[in-house]
Amino acid sequence: MTGSRRRRGEKWHRLEPTAVVDLDGFAATIDPAKLDPDQFVQLIATLDMLGTAGTGVELAGMSTETFARFFARTSPDQLEALMAHHRLRHVVFEEVFRRMSAHLDLTKAADLRAVVHWRFTGGSGEGGYDRFETVIARGTCTTADIPTADPRVTITADPPDFLRAVTGGATLPKLFISGKVKVRGDIAFAATLTDYFDLPRP
């Protein structure tokens, strides 16, 4: 092959950003209501592609407040379409758990020790779930995709409902009551779990 076409075995190289990009300002100009589900998925795919290329335009570049507000304005159909995309669902999971780690409220969680197992429907793992483990201990919060410890609580949810809960579009207690989120273990702790994070609300 010649020209600019990619050769077999050639690797992409991450580029260093050449300019500061106002992602929050960019996100504020986008009204998700004007996008159909396919267009919404394409938008997130484009941000992911630009982030991988090192342009500085990526989901991680949004403030958590903007990230929460943006996803809180999406429709159920848009979230369903996004979470049906194998790669992008994991990109979004990674972003959410990274932000949860950064926003652990130490005034409430300094002495908390808890292990939470997450099971998300529509996944590629055992039983058709994507599984994650969040460990809160010694004032830190970490999440991995390989559960290793006995959980205080196991939460099973559809990914769109999980996103709505962490971005302020819904509350975990209401999702529990409606049966959209299932809990095994310490139900009282699960109902107050999001209170341990100072995540912005839209």
Side-chain angles (χ1 to χ4, degrees), residues 38-178:
D38 289 340
Q39 290 171 329
F40 176 73
V41 171
Q42 187 58 49
L43 170 63
I44 303 303
T46 300
L47 290 174
D48 178 51
M49 179 271 293
L50 291 173
T52 301
T55 64
V57 180
E58 56 187 332
L59 284 175
M62 289 185 190
S63 69
T64 300
E65 182 177 5
T66 297
F67 182 87
R69 184 169 59 246
F70 180 80
F71 276 95
R73 293 160 58 203
T74 57
S75 71
D77 287 343
Q78 288 171 327
L79 292 181
E80 288 286 355
L82 178 62
M83 289 299 154
H85 190 291
H86 177 72
R87 171 172 169 73
L88 294 181
R89 71 187 266 135
H90 286 277
V91 168
V92 174
F93 283 149
E94 180 179 340
E95 269 305 298
V96 169
F97 286 124
R98 182 181 71 81
R99 292 169 190 272
M100 285 175 62
S101 178
H103 288 271
L104 184 67
D105 188 343
L106 294 181
T107 64
K108 299 178 181 177
D111 298 321
L112 177 65
R113 295 180 60 86
V115 175
V116 180
H117 284 184
W118 305 91
R119 302 195 315 165
F120 298 117
T121 59
S124 57
E126 181 183 348
Y129 296 104
D130 286 324
R131 300 168 187 265
F132 297 89
E133 177 183 81
T134 296
V135 178
I136 303 172
R138 302 183 186 90
T140 64
C141 174
T142 58
T143 298
D145 58 4
I146 302 177
T148 59
D150 292 334
R152 179 169 177 176
V153 66
T154 298
I155 298 175
T156 302
D158 289 336
D161 290 325
F162 170 70
L163 273 180
R164 290 173 60 225
V166 297
T167 59
T171 65
L172 280 178
K174 287 184 178 180
L175 291 172
F176 297 156
I177 293 171
S178 68

Side-chain angles (χ1 to χ4, degrees), residues 2-3 7 10 14 21 43 48 81 118 140 148 151 153 187 190 199:
T2 59
R7 297 187 298 275
E10 181 180 356
R14 186 176 180 88
V21 180
L43 170 63
D48 178 51
W118 305 91
T140 64
T148 59
V153 66
I187 296 176
L199 294 168

